[in-house]
Amino acid sequence: MVSALGRWWRPRSLRSQLLFWLVTLHLVAAALTAWFTFVAYGDLVHNALDEQMRLVADSHAGTDPPRTPRPVEGEAAFERGAFVVQVWSADGRTLLASSWPPLASVPLQPKPGFSDASTGAHTHSRWRVFTAEPGPHADQPRVQVLQNEDYRRRRALRRALLEGLPIALLLPLALLILWLIVSAASRSLRAVARDVASQDERSLTDLSLARVPDEIAPLVQAFNHLLSRVRNAFATQRRFVQDAAHELRTPMAAIGLQIENLRAHVPAGEATERFNQLEAGVTRAQHLIEQLLSLSRHDAPGRPTPGEAVDIETLLRESVSQLMVLADARRVDIGFEGSIAPVVHAPAAELRSVFDNLIDNALRYAPEGGVVDVRLHEADGHAVVDVLDNGPGIPAPSIGRVFDRFFRVPGAPVGGSGLGLAIARTAAERHGLRIELRNRAETEGEKGACGLMARVHLPPLPSTLIPG
């Protein structure tokens, strides 16, 4: 409960925290200033008015008989703090004269000097009283002066509020200045955040400290050290994959050659069946080694080379033609349809890697006698390539993981390695392409259809669309 309350009142934004504490500081400073002024000025006003009361009392008591006091109104006594002068008999029992008769309820105080008196429970009932010393004659009247205590308090409070008002008025200006300062500082932080967001696993570069505030510099330096360790880890991983694939390539090729030489010496029957399984395993291993080498090349750090202008329609026709052998072996009807002819500036071999892996994946998952369509068209104002098959599709829980390396959908046909889609996505991202997978049953216009649609979004620039 307490921790939840702490999270509620404590702002998480640095700007909000600064503003919160600045407002609190200004309000506390204004309150302390007003309180100190109220206490200090209250004492000053209290002493000054006490001295005036004493002088008024002496001026009236110094004459024999005392001067008749001038009448005052109750409003003047309460609102403007007018002095109420009373003249009492020598024994203090009879009020001889008063500047405000309704205040006769305050009797002559027994001791000379200052005292406090009250005529009731309300605010205006408290009075400050000064009783003059008795005169030299025994029958000489006594003089007493009263002033409303609430008037003194209101005067001190007004002065205190006036003293605290400048701080309260400066609060909006201070908030504006702080807002501008924090905004300027946060712009540098947002620039650092953009630099971090632009990083990927193939271009991990250190962040610049030129625009970083001193307070944030240690965090950025620690992040740079982390990036350095990540770069070293990726480099070690790439070297291992490359070295392992290169070391395995030659012996696997030799094994494949020996198997081809042994084919004529394998007797018919069960031995031939076992030999075919061995040959299929070696072929799969060779394919896996080639895919590992391709993946390590695509993972190489650095910016991709722009390459030449590649006609996507021609490239797709070549990919379909080369994979026609696999389609015929699986008795899959593969076709190509192109309504536009976009041009993409990228290495042709890497673009071929994208589309070859997608088409190969569709051919492997399409059932025997199935259909694979490759369509080049425009969608939402952008050029796209769709590779469609009528296979089982991908279950919803697995569609977000099929780009993970070595991940294979449960129940997938034998022969795959789980690297084809990972290679296609890596090559596509290097050149601004984006791959999207959707089951055809969930695709608009494909209601009732089965299978998978792999859509490649081509980059709008520097591509150009030429009507096909």
Side-chain angles (χ1 to χ4, degrees):
M1 178 68 180
V2 175
S3 60
L5 181 61
R7 287 193 299 269
W8 174 79
W9 72 264
R10 182 180 177 183
R12 301 188 63 179
S13 168
L14 181 61
R15 179 186 302 178
S16 299
Q17 290 186 35
L18 290 174
L19 293 177
F20 172 78
W21 288 113
L22 181 67
V23 171
T24 304
L25 177 63
H26 274 72
L27 293 178
V28 171
L32 290 177
T33 302
W35 176 82
F36 179 79
T37 303
F38 178 76
V39 173
Y41 188 72
D43 290 341
L44 179 64
V45 169
H46 197 74
N47 295 333
L49 292 177
D50 280 354
E51 182 64 21
Q52 290 182 19
M53 289 177 65
R54 187 184 63 79
L55 293 176
V56 171
D58 291 345
S59 68
H60 283 77
T63 61
D64 189 15
R67 292 187 297 113
T68 301
R70 292 185 300 175
V72 298
E73 298 178 355
E75 181 181 356
F78 292 131
E79 301 298 331
R80 297 194 296 272
F83 296 132
V84 178
V85 181
Q86 294 177 338
V87 180
W88 293 83
S89 61
D91 58 3
R93 297 178 180 179
T94 304
L95 180 62
L96 302 178
S98 175
S99 60
W100 191 43
L103 202 57
S105 57
V106 179
L108 181 69
Q109 302 301 305
K111 293 183 180 180
F114 291 97
S115 61
D116 296 315
S118 177
T119 59
H122 54 85
T123 304
H124 297 304
S125 63
R126 293 187 294 271
W127 296 86
R128 183 67 168 170
V129 182
F130 177 76
T131 306
E133 296 283 346
H137 306 293
D139 58 348
Q140 187 172 354
R142 303 284 300 277
V143 176
Q144 182 170 265
V145 179
L146 300 93
Q147 187 179 37
N148 188 258
E149 191 72 44
D150 184 59
Y151 164 76
R152 297 185 173 201
R153 188 173 292 106
R154 284 187 285 107
R155 184 170 177 179
L157 181 60
R158 188 182 302 113
R159 180 61 180 267
L161 293 178
L162 290 176
E163 291 290 335
L165 183 60
I167 298 180
L169 293 179
L170 284 176
L171 179 60
L173 179 61
L175 291 179
L176 177 61
I177 294 175
L178 179 65
W179 184 273
L180 295 176
I181 294 174
V182 174
S183 297
S186 62
R187 278 198 295 270
S188 61
L189 296 180
R190 287 194 294 269
V192 173
R194 287 194 296 270
D195 292 342
V196 174
S198 64
Q199 303 275 358
D200 58 44
E201 65 274 13
R202 291 179 299 276
S203 61
L204 296 174
T205 57
D206 290 345
L207 303 177
S208 174
L209 297 175
R211 297 173 295 178
V212 178
D214 293 340
E215 293 78 6
I216 310 297
L219 177 62
V220 177
Q221 290 174 346
F223 188 76
N224 286 337
H225 291 318
L226 176 62
L227 288 179
S228 177
R229 293 194 294 270
V230 172
R231 283 198 301 270
N232 293 336
F234 276 125
T236 302
Q237 178 188 8
R238 282 191 296 270
R239 285 195 300 269
F240 172 77
V241 173
Q242 290 175 349
D243 294 344
H246 278 294
E247 291 296 327
L248 290 173
R249 196 175 189 181
T250 300
M252 289 305 300
I255 293 174
L257 181 61
Q258 292 297 329
I259 289 178
E260 185 65 26
N261 293 333
L262 286 174
R263 178 179 295 277
H265 304 284
V266 176
E270 184 179 356
T272 301
E273 182 179 351
R274 297 292 178 85
F275 180 83
N276 291 336
Q277 294 177 354
L278 176 62
E279 185 179 30
V282 172
T283 302
R284 180 185 175 189
Q286 290 175 331
H287 180 65
L288 175 61
I289 292 172
E290 293 299 327
Q291 285 189 316
L292 287 173
L293 286 173
S294 176
L295 188 62
S296 64
R297 286 194 298 268
H298 291 313
D299 279 341
R303 295 183 177 275
T305 55
E308 68 277 9
V310 179
D311 185 348
I312 299 299
E313 181 183 14
T314 302
L315 185 72
L316 290 174
R317 291 186 183 276
E318 293 175 356
S319 295
V320 171
S321 298
Q322 290 197 3
L323 291 171
M324 193 70 72
V325 176
L326 177 61
D328 292 341
R330 293 187 52 82
R331 292 184 298 173
V332 174
D333 182 14
I334 182 171
F336 171 76
E337 177 185 351
S339 59
I340 56 176
V343 175
V344 175
H345 291 267
E350 297 195 16
L351 293 178
R352 280 289 301 270
S353 177
V354 175
F355 299 115
D356 284 356
N357 277 286
L358 292 178
I359 298 173
D360 178 81
N361 188 74
L363 291 173
R364 291 180 184 275
Y365 279 86
E368 288 193 9
V371 177
V372 172
D373 290 324
V374 181
R375 300 174 184 173
L376 174 61
H377 62 103
E378 185 176 349
D380 299 328
H382 299 286
V384 297
V385 177
D386 291 341
V387 180
L388 305 102
D389 63 67
N390 62 343
I394 300 177
S398 302
I399 200 165
R401 297 190 55 198
V402 293
F403 288 110
D404 296 344
R405 299 174 184 185
F406 298 105
F407 176 80
R408 303 190 68 213
V409 178
V414 179
S417 61
L419 286 177
L421 290 178
I423 294 173
R425 185 182 66 172
T426 303
E429 289 179 347
R430 284 176 61 86
H431 301 285
L433 284 72
R434 180 170 63 89
I435 300 177
E436 177 187 7
L437 299 181
R438 287 187 291 178
N439 288 310
R440 295 178 66 182
E442 303 171 358
T443 305
E444 185 177 357
E446 298 286 347
K447 301 297 183 181
C450 61
L452 184 72
M453 181 189 76
R455 170 167 290 183
V456 181
H457 297 264
L458 302 181
L461 289 175
S463 310
T464 56
L465 295 180
I466 303 174

